[in-house]
Amino acid sequence: MPISAEPRVALYFDFDNIVISRYDQLHGDPGSRRVSAYRKDTSTSKAPAAGSETAKKLAEATVDVDAVLDFAATFGTIAIARAYADWSTPVNASYRGQLIDRAVDLVQLFPLSATKNGADIRLAVDAVEDMFRIDDLTHIVIVAGDSDYVALAQKAKRLGRYVVGIGVAGGTSRALTAACDEYADYDTLLATDAAVAEDEAADAAAHAAPEAAAAPPATGRRSRAKSAAPEATNAAATEAPTEQVAETAPAPNRRRRATSKSVAEAAGTSAVEKPETNEAPEPPAKRASARALQFVAPTDHAPADEPAGGSPRNPSRLLLKALELLHAKNDEEWQSSSTVKNQMMRMDPSFQERRLGFASFTEFLKSRGGVVELDETGRGRVRLRPTKD
């Protein structure tokens, strides 16, 4: 069988491990780490009542499946993606639609005891079998924090694979972190999404003021929000509230690499960027997932408001996230256009610029001139457009 030049990734997701670790990270008692807050608050047979305290905590601790899979896609094409859990439990069942939409195989594990489902043994056996059976697997991604996976990580490295670990801070074994070639904290994956949200907010602020003042179409530069302010003061009184929001909408002064610190900064400014409420701002660790947790019965299908085939991802947001992920990975400001497109198609294989009405990917990039900038030297590169002070 010919060996593919494209890196190929196998992703193994110990789902219970990550869901429980994330819940305990946010809602557990630091003084009693041996007692899982998740197991105390939830039931394996009954879904939490809507509006209850437990339901709110679970929503805050929702695991962003897209963030994990998008990060894994930066290493290559995801050839294998499996999630191991007891999918009959209400909490796990609420994630099934998201995982199926991203072509993740759900491996059913019935509980062997009150606290063990045998996911570690099953996952390790499958991973070793895949490495011997599929020669061109180049990367092994283990989404878990249990020290039981140390032996698997060491074995994969001896077989010549690059091992990546993804875990939750406070719930990941130091031994597992050391056994991996690369380790990513789950919070840093959310930081990338926070950076994308900042990009979108800045672009929206740049376009809102010219449109409210009935000015010519915006060119995409975010400084237009500031230059349109004098014109906005002459508009009709009925448009004043809209103009005021556009003029005061904050934009980041410069691009920066997505870090856990950016999550904290984004949360600190949420009172300005979002409508005012009587509730206090949430701490950065409790940022809501990109997809809200929805509880469904174990025998139900995906929620009715989601199309059966899954809805295509927003092309602009897909582009921004691809650029943020690549920048975080290689720390390069300029990225090859072909690399960016390849990353976008890894995250969403249905992306096609021709379906959006563009003859080429370059034309698609030009249409997003408000948030990205093409290299004018003809080297086929693109970057996130810098903002002006």
Side-chain angles (χ1 to χ4, degrees), residues 32-89:
S32 57
R33 296 295 295 176
R34 292 186 178 183
V35 180
S36 171
Y38 177 89
R39 299 194 185 280
K40 289 195 305 180
D41 296 345
T42 63
S43 169
T44 59
S45 58
K46 293 173 57 179
S52 65
E53 187 66 24
T54 299
K56 294 178 182 178
K57 289 182 178 180
L58 285 168
E60 291 174 353
T62 298
V63 174
D64 192 334
V65 174
D66 285 336
V68 174
L69 292 171
D70 289 346
F71 174 75
T74 63
F75 297 97
T77 300
I78 299 180
I80 298 173
R82 297 197 188 105
Y84 298 78
D86 180 1
W87 301 106
S88 65
T89 63

Side-chain angles (χ1 to χ4, degrees), residues 15-367:
F15 206 77
D16 277 333
N17 183 283
I18 293 298
V19 169
I20 294 173
S21 296
R22 180 63 172 168
Y23 187 95
D24 290 346
Q25 178 195 39
L26 299 184
H27 307 299
D29 183 3
S32 57
R33 296 295 295 176
R34 292 186 178 183
V35 180
S36 171
Y38 177 89
R39 299 194 185 280
K40 289 195 305 180
D41 296 345
T42 63
S43 169
T44 59
S45 58
K46 293 173 57 179
S52 65
E53 187 66 24
T54 299
K56 294 178 182 178
K57 289 182 178 180
L58 285 168
E60 291 174 353
T62 298
V63 174
D64 192 334
V65 174
D66 285 336
V68 174
L69 292 171
D70 289 346
F71 174 75
T74 63
F75 297 97
T77 300
I78 299 180
I80 298 173
R82 297 197 188 105
Y84 298 78
D86 180 1
W87 301 106
S88 65
T89 63
V91 174
N92 291 340
S94 64
Y95 287 93
R96 290 187 307 188
Q98 298 180 36
L99 292 164
I100 292 172
D101 283 348
R102 292 299 300 268
V104 178
D105 292 333
L106 306 185
V107 180
Q108 171 64 33
L109 298 174
F110 293 102
L112 302 178
S113 67
T115 58
K116 296 292 289 184
N117 60 8
D120 48 0
I121 299 298
R122 176 67 182 274
L123 188 155
V125 169
D126 286 351
V128 172
E129 180 183 2
D130 290 337
M131 284 185 280
F132 279 104
R133 185 169 54 89
I134 306 174
D135 294 335
D136 61 351
L137 285 180
T138 57
H139 294 70
I140 302 296
V141 180
I142 304 171
V143 189
D146 200 327
S147 60
D148 292 342
Y149 295 107
V150 171
L152 172 60
Q154 293 172 335
K155 182 68 173 180
K157 290 171 70 173
R158 285 196 295 269
L159 292 174
R161 271 62 172 195
Y162 189 87
V163 181
V164 181
I166 302 175
V168 176
T172 302
S173 165
R174 291 185 180 180
L176 178 59
T177 302
C180 296
D181 291 298
E182 183 175 339
Y183 171 79
D185 188 273
Y186 174 74
D187 287 324
T188 65
L189 308 188
L190 297 184
T192 301
D193 283 334
V196 172
E198 290 177 359
D199 297 335
E200 293 179 319
D203 185 52
H207 287 80
E211 292 175 0
T219 61
R221 291 188 178 276
R222 292 167 189 164
S223 58
R224 294 291 294 274
K226 192 177 293 184
S227 64
E231 301 176 10
T233 58
N234 298 325
T238 56
E239 296 178 355
T242 303
E243 295 165 8
Q244 184 178 4
V245 173
E247 293 169 10
T248 59
N253 292 331
R254 60 184 179 87
R255 300 280 179 188
R256 62 184 182 278
R257 184 173 179 177
T259 61
S260 297
K261 184 179 179 181
S262 67
V263 179
E265 293 173 353
T269 59
S270 59
V272 178
E273 297 174 355
K274 298 180 180 180
E276 292 291 338
T277 64
N278 294 328
E279 299 178 0
E282 292 182 347
K286 295 186 179 182
R287 289 181 58 85
S289 167
R291 304 184 73 169
L293 189 72
Q294 301 182 46
F295 292 103
V296 295
T299 56
D300 290 345
H301 298 289
D305 57 345
E306 287 193 21
S311 58
R313 300 176 70 173
N314 181 282
S316 295
R317 183 174 179 83
L318 193 68
L319 171 62
L320 290 173
K321 187 159 189 183
L323 284 167
E324 290 285 3
L325 285 169
L326 290 171
H327 177 62
K329 186 176 179 64
N330 57 31
D331 203 23
E332 295 289 340
E333 183 179 11
W334 290 96
Q335 307 292 338
S336 167
S337 297
S338 60
T339 302
V340 173
K341 181 178 179 180
N342 194 24
Q343 176 62 28
M344 292 174 66
M345 294 187 67
R346 287 174 181 173
M347 296 190 295
D348 183 8
S350 68
F351 171 77
Q352 293 181 13
E353 64 273 9
R354 292 184 181 274
R355 292 176 56 187
L356 302 174
F358 302 99
S360 66
F361 187 65
T362 300
E363 290 189 9
F364 168 74
L365 293 176
K366 289 179 179 179
S367 72

